[in-house]
Amino acid sequence: MTKYKIAVIPGDGIGPEVTASACEVLQAVGRKSGHAFSFTEVMAGGIAIDTCGEPLPKDTLRTARESDAVLLGAVGGPNWDNLPGDARPEAALLGLRKGLGLFANLRLAVLFPELKEASPLRPDLVKDGVDILIVRELTGGIYFGKRGREKKREKLDDGTPKGVEAFDVECYCEAEIERILRVGFNSAMQRRKRLTVVDKANILETSRLWRQVTEKVKTEYPEVDVDFMYVDNASMQLLRRPKDFDVIVTSNMFGDILSDEAGMITGSIGMLPSASLGTPGTPGMYEPVHGSAPDIAGQGIANPLATILSAAMMLRYSLGLPREGAKIEEAVENVLAKGFRTADIVEKKGDAFLGTKEITEKVISEYEKL
Ligand code: IPM
Ligand code: MG
């Protein structure tokens, strides 16, 4: 029997409800597989601002570091929208990513066959399914580059004084590019062996370096079919021919944007899990792609499936229990196949749906049958 230490960060909005569901599922995994999970709950985001005066208390980061994996619900909400940048709930996310060295963010955009109707794309565009893995670089680039403001004395060409100028610097070194590319290539090897490197190499020097490093790394993965695509074109092709994408690897900002677009293609953002990983042996962080949904918080109707599927990724990537992870995924598919839905994924308004607790029980009972 192995004992796994999980740090749980419920966060804000529906975060506490969906993480509670995922923990129940992990407990069921413990009962069935003979392993033990211990959960330590810690604070981050808006609730930490209200309780401790800062979005990411030191204790949270320490507990996270000392665990085998971190399960996060969501952070943020309208109560904290007017705070300055580094005092906002979102700062907790960036702090956790940097503090745990989580440089690789894996975001799945999968169209579940039972939820095909939910896609906003024309049926003929998604009839063959959508299964895209976005590998987003998570601790570098413009989100972590130098930023600031300067009062400028100069004028624009037309003579207008410039006033204050703000800047955010995009910066990537070869080592950062190489390690994220490797995550992309390794993921592609376990999937359909197609890798698209998305960049803006017609303009950006950082993108040119990404291409150069890709040329070097790809020689080690002769089976992977690699192509490069400019980000503006990629955002269009994702809508035109989503089924042609397998793994996309890209920078922090482009990955942020494209993962929302890819998520929307599935029409079921409440279903999408993610994993943020650092170097092997360090704790990964697992969270649903959806946000804190403050409008439905506390009503018991949030969809916990994305968080449950994030726990499945945790079993696979951080806890060395890939078979149990696959069973959780199968259990979720079986629940959908039996027609059970939460409010956000019903086919049409007025259809019956289950609450957070009820659908969690369905997943557990399907899992126990496998
Ligand atoms: C995400 C979010 C975050 C990001 C924000 C909330 C800081 O948009 O996880 O995609 O930009 O990374
Ligand atoms: Mg985002």
Side-chain angles (χ1 to χ4, degrees):
M1 182 184 92
T2 315
K3 226 179 152 179
Y4 298 104
K5 286 203 288 195
I6 317 288
V8 183
I9 307 180
D12 307 315
I14 59 172
E17 297 162 70
V18 293
T19 47
S21 289
C23 291
E24 270 179 51
V25 171
L26 286 172
Q27 258 153 353
V29 171
R31 284 195 299 276
K32 196 167 158 166
S33 65
H35 299 294
F37 295 90
S38 73
F39 302 102
T40 308
E41 204 173 297
V42 279
M43 267 188 253
I47 185 172
I49 295 173
D50 292 350
T51 322
C52 321
E54 52 181 337
L56 181 62
K58 284 195 184 59
D59 182 46
T60 298
L61 194 54
R62 200 186 47 241
T63 305
R65 281 205 180 108
E66 288 167 358
S67 63
D68 295 304
V70 181
L71 181 72
L72 184 129
V75 298
N79 294 354
W80 307 281
D81 268 352
N82 295 323
L83 294 170
D86 49 4
R88 292 172 62 95
E90 289 83 352
L93 279 182
L94 296 191
L96 281 161
R97 290 170 185 170
K98 200 67 175 178
L100 296 171
L102 305 172
F103 65 85
N105 184 212
L106 275 45
R107 294 187 172 181
L108 278 167
V110 176
L111 186 67
F112 289 83
E114 294 85 3
L115 303 178
K116 263 195 180 147
E117 310 293 317
S119 173
L121 291 190
R122 254 185 5 235
D124 61 301
L125 295 173
V126 294
K127 68 175 189 320
D128 302 318
V130 176
D131 181 358
I132 305 170
L133 175 67
I134 300 201
V135 177
R136 167 188 177 192
E137 200 290 325
L138 203 59
T139 50
I142 196 166
Y143 289 17
F144 288 92
K146 198 167 167 223
R147 73 180 95 255
R149 289 180 180 215
E150 263 168 32
K151 176 92 183 122
K152 288 290 188 191
R153 288 180 205 282
E154 299 91 338
K155 298 189 166 107
L156 295 182
D157 291 344
D158 68 0
T160 322
K162 279 191 170 173
V164 172
E165 184 178 84
F167 60 91
D168 299 274
V169 177
E170 171 88 346
C171 180
Y172 272 114
C173 65
E174 285 177 298
E176 281 176 306
I177 300 169
E178 181 166 337
R179 67 181 180 182
I180 192 70
L181 284 173
R182 285 188 189 283
V183 175
F185 276 104
N186 290 331
S187 307
M189 283 300 289
Q190 285 161 26
R191 292 170 47 102
R192 303 193 302 280
K193 301 193 170 67
R194 292 215 46 188
L195 182 69
T196 306
V197 181
V198 171
D199 62 27
K200 188 70 187 169
N202 48 349
I203 306 282
L204 302 177
E205 196 54 35
T206 42
S207 292
R208 293 185 193 122
L209 188 59
W210 274 68
R211 287 200 180 198
Q212 223 174 306
V213 179
T214 308
E215 293 298 345
K216 190 187 92 187
V217 175
K218 82 175 195 197
T219 59
E220 293 173 40
Y221 298 87
E223 284 175 61
V224 178
D225 177 10
V226 188
D227 67 332
F228 296 100
M229 202 179 276
Y230 298 144
V231 63
D232 43 355
N233 185 28
S235 70
M236 193 167 75
Q237 301 305 334
L238 273 170
L239 300 180
R240 238 180 62 161
R241 45 182 188 93
K243 74 158 195 326
D244 290 350
F245 289 88
D246 176 15
V247 180
I248 289 176
V249 62
T250 190
S251 64
N252 202 341
M253 181 159 68
F254 294 160
D256 186 18
I257 299 167
L258 292 182
S259 61
D260 270 24
E261 184 187 354
M264 192 61 221
I265 291 170
T266 72
S268 319
I269 190 131
M271 299 295 302
L272 304 178
S274 80
S276 302
L277 308 174
T279 42
T282 61
M285 187 163 86
Y286 299 82
E287 60 182 303
V289 167
H290 62 68
S292 59
D295 52 322
I296 58 159
Q299 297 177 24
I301 58 166
N303 181 353
L305 297 177
T307 317
I308 291 171
L309 292 169
S310 302
M313 288 182 101
M314 177 193 288
L315 292 164
R316 176 173 300 127
Y317 293 112
S318 284
L319 307 184
L321 299 171
R323 280 213 310 270
E324 299 310 311
K327 281 188 209 164
I328 296 299
E329 287 159 359
E330 199 179 332
V332 169
E333 277 170 34
N334 293 348
V335 165
L336 294 176
K338 289 193 170 163
F340 298 116
R341 300 284 185 271
T342 44
D344 58 315
I345 51 172
V346 290
E347 202 166 311
K348 45 186 197 317
K349 248 191 157 152
D351 282 357
F353 62 84
L354 297 181
T356 312
K357 288 213 170 86
E358 292 76 39
I359 199 136
T360 305
E361 280 160 24
K362 297 286 180 207
V363 173
I364 292 173
S365 84
E366 287 300 321
Y367 167 73
E368 281 167 350
K369 287 184 215 158
L370 294 171

